[in-house]
Amino acid sequence: MWTFFCLFTVAAWALTEFFGKVGSKQNEEDKLSHWKITACVGFAMGALALVYIIFLGTDVSLANILSYAPISLCYIVSMIFGYVGLRYIMLSISSPVSNASCGVTSILCVIFLNQVLNPIQVVAVVAIVLGIIILGYTFVDREAQKSSDKKYTRSLIALSFPVLYCILDGIGSYMDALYLNDCIMTENEVTVCYFLTFFVVGLLAWIYVGIKEKKMYNIFSNKWFCFQSLGEAAGQITYVFALSEAPAIAAPLIASYGVVSILLSRIFLKEKLTKFQYVIIAVVMASMFILSFE
């Protein structure tokens, strides 16, 4: 059964990135699009929390929510940065950069937990870091050749969003490992704490958009953002089940959903990369797979 959960999570999260990119691309001048996505996903997470509480009988308390809030916010803020990046950078570039957060987590474990990586893991981490640097350089250089220094500056800013996602998500995973190791809550309780925190952030984002646009924002107005929020929530459910049944195999398989995102962006968004960029992406994704498996 875990195989189905893995494949479903891969499909759901790849489509989530794709839907978010399509929705953001429809109105690239909308500077509130990332807050609108946050609102949609937040409400979806809130509905999912109710399912856990009502139908699964998951207990939740304000103390637990506040205890887990720093980790939840680390994940959520990283995702918001990712939503901003959808307006400015190709999905083919942003997806592998964002999903390389496992390398950040490994580095933090080595520095602060004195964990030792085997030679294969060291090579994988180095390959991920160098791959991101090279991939970022080729993207900025390619954009700079198109026009003025302004384009060069904008491309640097665009690249910063998936990089920030990568760093914050990696920190969140590191903090998660520390927290869950000593945590007295069950996995379902931790999940509900995350969902409810996301709901609060989504509610605040919804209010903010309403204030800026001087009218109540209809979260169903952009169908692509709705599809994205459903995919995000559904993938989260199967992700937990997959890891609980076969963590050693599920983790690297799920980490590879970025490959599906790249394929979707190439087929449907007509994004084109150089052969060299595809090689670098392949190296980064393979390194992520190896690191997760190891």
Side-chain angles (χ1 to χ4, degrees):
M1 196 64 179
W2 66 267
T3 305
F4 166 77
F5 291 140
C6 278
L7 295 177
F8 185 90
T9 304
V10 168
W13 282 353
L15 287 171
T16 291
E17 290 189 330
F18 173 71
F19 290 146
K21 181 63 178 179
V22 174
S24 300
K25 195 174 182 180
Q26 286 185 340
N27 189 2
E28 294 180 345
E29 300 304 318
D30 184 2
K31 295 183 179 181
L32 296 175
S33 65
H34 56 289
W35 294 120
K36 293 178 179 178
I37 297 174
T38 302
C40 290
V41 176
F43 281 111
M45 295 294 191
L48 200 56
L50 288 178
V51 172
Y52 270 77
I53 294 171
I54 296 173
F55 296 101
L56 299 181
T58 304
D59 293 325
V60 65
S61 68
L62 181 60
N64 285 342
I65 294 173
L66 293 177
S67 174
Y68 194 69
I71 301 173
S72 296
L73 290 174
C74 211
Y75 286 131
I76 294 167
V77 172
S78 73
M79 292 172 70
I80 294 174
F81 277 124
Y83 299 155
V84 179
L86 290 173
R87 292 205 307 269
Y88 303 112
I89 190 171
M90 292 187 297
L91 184 59
S92 302
I93 298 291
S94 66
S95 184
V97 173
S98 298
N99 294 322
S101 56
C102 57
V104 175
T105 304
S106 296
I107 293 172
L108 291 175
C109 288
V110 170
I111 295 174
F112 296 106
L113 299 182
N114 296 319
Q115 292 188 1
V116 179
L117 301 182
N118 62 43
I120 295 178
Q121 290 173 320
V122 172
V123 172
V125 171
V126 172
I128 290 172
V129 174
L130 290 179
I132 291 175
I133 294 173
I134 295 172
L135 197 60
Y137 173 79
T138 58
F139 167 73
V140 174
D141 183 63
R142 184 177 176 182
E143 292 297 304
Q145 292 177 9
K146 292 181 180 179
S147 55
S148 62
D149 291 338
K150 184 178 180 181
K151 188 74 173 180
Y152 176 79
T153 302
R154 287 186 62 184
S155 63
L156 279 175
I157 296 174
L159 183 64
S160 69
F161 294 118
V163 170
L164 286 170
Y165 176 102
C166 174
I167 294 172
L168 286 174
D169 189 70
I171 293 173
S173 296
Y174 167 75
M175 293 170 61
D176 223 353
L178 294 179
Y179 185 86
L180 292 175
N181 187 50
D182 300 322
C183 182
I184 60 174
M185 291 191 290
T186 66
E187 290 182 353
N188 280 356
E189 289 171 342
V190 169
T191 301
V192 171
C193 288
Y194 168 69
F195 287 160
L196 290 176
T197 304
F198 211 134
F199 169 70
V200 172
V201 174
L203 181 61
L204 293 175
W206 179 73
I207 294 173
Y208 176 74
V209 172
I211 294 174
K212 295 294 289 185
E213 294 189 337
K214 297 180 180 179
K215 63 178 182 180
M216 186 177 70
Y217 172 60
N218 180 5
I219 61 172
F220 302 107
S221 59
N222 189 317
K223 65 178 181 180
W224 297 110
F225 291 167
C226 292
F227 292 153
Q228 179 182 11
S229 62
L230 291 175
E232 195 78 66
Q236 187 67 36
I237 297 174
T238 51
Y239 169 77
V240 173
F241 281 115
L243 286 188
S244 63
E245 290 191 25
I249 304 176
L253 288 179
I254 293 173
S256 66
Y257 78 86
V259 176
V260 182
S261 296
I262 295 170
L263 292 176
L264 291 173
S265 64
R266 180 66 183 90
I267 296 171
F268 297 104
L269 299 178
K270 308 302 180 183
E271 292 183 354
K272 295 182 180 180
L273 301 177
T274 65
K275 292 181 179 179
F276 179 68
Q277 286 175 319
Y278 278 121
V279 170
I280 297 300
I281 289 174
V283 171
V284 171
M285 298 305 296
S287 299
M288 289 168 53
F289 184 89
I290 292 171
L291 190 61
S292 299
F293 186 80
E294 286 290 319

